Amino acid sequence: MEQLKEKIRREGIVLSEKVLKVDAFLNHQIDPALMQQIGEEFARRFRDDGITKIVTIEASGIAPAVMAGLELGVPVIFARKHQSLTLTDHLLTASVYSFTKQVESTIAVSTHHLSPNDRVLIIDDFLANGKAAKGLIAIIQQAGASIAGLGIVIEKSFQVGRQELEAQGYRVESLARVKSLEGGTVQFVD
């Protein structure tokens, strides 16, 4: 997706050889027009897969997931990272480690929102080591739902996430695949 790559080139900030900051348009401030294009692209790639729900993790996956849900006409569920007074019973949970935040979180989704009849598309902002994706997969499996695939906005292809997910048989569709962040420059696969 060339518009996304161009936005990363212009506004992304390489903080290290493993960290790309995109808070100007994706995970702090959101570019709605770009999110709409991202939603349209995910919908185009997964339109014929019988998706009934989209699942993401709060907070950065919500914007692209909502736009894809709008395009596909399906509900969007986000796994909560923080305890809530209203989300206490009948939970599907998994533990997820965030490299960027250096913290382990328990993510949760209510059993009321996922069922064995659901065909789920996972959407997230980044794929690096695959920890968030594996946590979401665990929750979806607990519900007995099937997984159509994973839609990733930005993939760090130099890390193991994609390889591990594909080795487990999952379809991974990434809109921008970063080959390297060496020398403070974003280099893309393709």
Side-chain angles (χ1 to χ4, degrees), residues 26 31 77 136:
L26 178 60
D31 178 333
I77 302 163
L136 291 173

Side-chain angles (χ1 to χ4, degrees), residues 5 14 17-18 22 25-26 40-41 43 47 57-58 64 73 83-84 108 117 127 138 140 143 147 158 160 164 168 175:
K5 289 180 185 176
V14 177
E17 291 186 356
K18 291 190 177 180
V22 290
F25 60 90
L26 178 60
E40 290 168 355
E41 182 61 20
R47 189 168 309 285
I57 288 185
E58 69 175 349
Q83 290 287 331
S84 166
N117 298 324
L127 173 62
I140 294 162
I147 298 169
F158 55 88
V160 299
E164 290 182 0
Q168 293 174 16
L175 303 186

Side-chain angles (χ1 to χ4, degrees), residues 5 8-9 12-14 20 154 177-188:
K5 289 180 185 176
I8 293 167
R9 284 185 195 103
I13 300 167
V14 177
L20 173 63
I154 301 171
R177 297 184 64 199
V178 176
K179 179 168 62 175
S180 168
L181 297 173
E182 292 177 11
T185 303
V186 180
Q187 296 175 33
F188 294 102

Side-chain angles (χ1 to χ4, degrees), residues 97-111:
Y97 179 77
S98 169
F99 169 80
T100 309
K101 295 182 180 116
Q102 301 281 300
V103 67
E104 185 100 15
S105 299
T106 298
I107 59 171
V109 168
S110 171
T111 57

